[in-house]
């Protein structure tokens, strides 16, 4: 997904699930968004984090 779409998805996911979410860039250059507790750190670069409580 594009970087813009990943940020929109992460913000929506954080607000809906009320969990911290992370936008990351994978080793192949693609972007994604997942809950923060699901990031294992292998071959990804964290771009930003969304905290629904912050």
């Amino acid at each position: 997904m594009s970087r813009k779409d990943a940020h929109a998805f992460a913000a929506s996911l954080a607000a809906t699930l009320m969990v911290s979410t992370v936008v990351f860039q994978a080793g192949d250059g693609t972007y994604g968004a997942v809950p923060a507790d699901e990031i294992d750190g292998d071959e990804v670069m964290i771009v930003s984090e969304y905290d629904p409580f912050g």
Side-chain angles (χ1 to χ4, degrees):
M1 90 176 53
S2 72
R3 185 175 184 161
K4 181 179 177 181
D5 288 342
H7 280 277
F9 180 67
S12 175
L13 191 64
T16 302
L17 298 178
M18 294 305 290
V19 296
S20 294
T21 58
V22 172
V23 174
F24 65 91
Q25 183 177 16
D28 63 356
T30 59
Y31 292 91
V34 295
D37 61 349
E38 293 185 19
I39 287 287
D40 59 4
D42 293 340
E43 297 186 26
V44 297
M45 179 180 73
I46 295 176
V47 176
S48 65
E49 184 172 347
Y50 289 88
D51 182 4
F53 304 107

